């Protein structure tokens, strides 16, 4: 099943199908990103100024122009992610959760996040 997400400004559409990702500029039809992955794409989130792609074993942050801001391998298989406040909560298969700040590209310790 293809994943299709427009950016909040509706200038770009991101499409993920199995292990392939593409981003297309809707104004001129140009392909901004076209790349394969070694594992399946689970989720795409389009946030202001960043697009997040979660695969089974990796999380990637893309800048609006399509350049990769962050590419990070995960310690175990991911099953999903959600936005919590200004951060991303990545749920892993064995129950572990990771918190990622999409602006800085830094992971936040869960104990620190709970005290904020």
């Amino acid at each position: 099943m293809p994943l299709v997400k427009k950016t909040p400004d509706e200038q770009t559409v991101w499409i993920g199908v199995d292990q392939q990702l593409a981003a297309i500029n809707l104004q001129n039809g140009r392909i901004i990103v076209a790349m394969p992955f070694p594992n399946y794409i689970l989720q795409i989130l389009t946030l202001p100024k960043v697009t997040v792609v979660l695969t089974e074993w990796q999380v990637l942050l893309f800048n609006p122009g399509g350049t990769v801001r962050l590419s990070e391998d995960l310690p175990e298989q991911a099953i999903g992610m959600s936005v919590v406040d200004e951060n991303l909560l990545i749920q892993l298969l064995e129950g572990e959760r990771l918190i990622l700040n999409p602006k800085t590209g830094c992971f936040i310790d869960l104990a620190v996040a709970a005290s904020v």
Side-chain angles (χ1 to χ4, degrees), residues 13-47:
V13 64
W14 289 80
I15 304 165
V17 179
D18 295 333
Q19 295 169 272
Q20 302 288 325
L21 178 71
I24 301 166
N25 181 311
L26 294 174
Q27 302 303 308
N28 59 24
R30 287 196 177 148
I31 296 172
I32 299 168
V33 173
M35 62 189 297
F37 289 97
N39 43 64
Y40 288 95
I41 298 170
L42 299 177
Q43 201 170 348
I44 300 171
L45 291 176
T46 53
L47 307 171

Side-chain angles (χ1 to χ4, degrees), residues 33 35 37 59-63 65-72:
V33 173
M35 62 189 297
F37 289 97
V59 62
L60 295 99
L61 301 179
F62 289 87
N63 292 314
T67 56
V68 177
R69 182 187 305 180
L70 172 80
S71 174
E72 189 73 35

Side-chain angles (χ1 to χ4, degrees), residues 41-107:
I41 298 170
L42 299 177
Q43 201 170 348
I44 300 171
L45 291 176
T46 53
L47 307 171
K49 301 184 181 174
V50 66
T51 296
V52 186
V53 176
L54 181 68
T55 73
E56 292 173 304
W57 294 97
Q58 194 175 31
V59 62
L60 295 99
L61 301 179
F62 289 87
N63 292 314
T67 56
V68 177
R69 182 187 305 180
L70 172 80
S71 174
E72 189 73 35
D73 290 336
L74 299 172
E76 64 182 75
Q77 188 174 352
I79 57 173
M81 70 178 160
S82 57
V83 178
V84 177
D85 298 322
E86 295 181 359
N87 296 311
L88 299 168
L89 178 65
I90 301 170
Q91 186 72 38
L92 303 178
L93 185 62
E94 298 296 322
E96 187 178 350
R97 296 178 300 162
L98 303 173
I99 297 175
L100 175 64
N101 183 304
K103 292 180 183 174
T104 64
C106 294
F107 284 92

